[in-house]
Amino acid sequence: MLPMGTIMTGCMVIGGLFATRLPVLRTVQKLPAWFRKTMAFVVFSAGSWNVFWYAMQHYAEFWGMAALISGCLMLLTSAYIFNVKCLPSFLQKMRPGVLFLLLCCAVLYGTTIYRL
């Protein structure tokens, strides 16, 4: 059985790959729409679990705050994957910053898991 930290890190990486518009990763955007929407649902589910379950139970701890931040970023990233046009323009402009912060969270989770 995989630890939840590993699953969350994987979901953050998947979210970053599918939401980015970098020229090197544009081939991901050419995948079928049903697959991209499935990945958006996976990222949304992971973000919801982080925010509404783990963070709410551990709000006074470091990992509870990390779960809250990374969960909110994953929820926003899932909207970028699913349909970015439904978001307000200021959230559309924040995409590079959101994805960079999501990458930072994935690195934090990943390095912590590696050190265990």
Side-chain angles (χ1 to χ4, degrees):
M1 185 164 173
L2 286 173
M4 273 319 274
T6 304
I7 294 169
M8 289 300 124
T9 305
C11 289
M12 287 181 223
V13 170
I14 287 171
L17 289 175
F18 277 83
T20 190
R21 298 291 183 249
L22 292 174
V24 178
L25 301 172
R26 293 249 171 138
T27 56
V28 174
Q29 304 307 320
K30 295 177 183 174
L31 291 170
W34 67 267
F35 189 74
R36 285 180 287 144
K37 290 182 180 184
T38 302
M39 291 298 108
F41 177 74
V42 168
V43 174
F44 180 82
S45 299
S48 296
W49 184 87
N50 251 4
V51 171
F52 299 116
W53 190 81
Y54 192 85
M56 292 300 131
Q57 290 187 356
H58 304 278
Y59 60 88
E61 301 171 8
F62 172 77
W63 286 109
M65 297 306 328
L68 180 65
I69 293 167
S70 63
C72 290
L73 292 170
M74 281 194 281
L75 291 173
L76 190 53
T77 301
S78 70
Y80 290 145
I81 299 168
F82 190 76
N83 186 4
V84 73
K85 294 179 177 99
C86 70
L87 295 173
S89 62
F90 76 94
L91 287 178
Q92 291 179 19
K93 292 177 185 175
M94 287 176 43
R95 179 192 297 220
V98 168
L99 294 179
F100 177 74
L101 290 173
L102 187 65
L103 173 67
C104 292
C105 289
V107 168
L108 173 68
Y109 276 59
T111 55
T112 303
I113 292 167
Y114 177 75
R115 289 180 184 168
L116 294 176

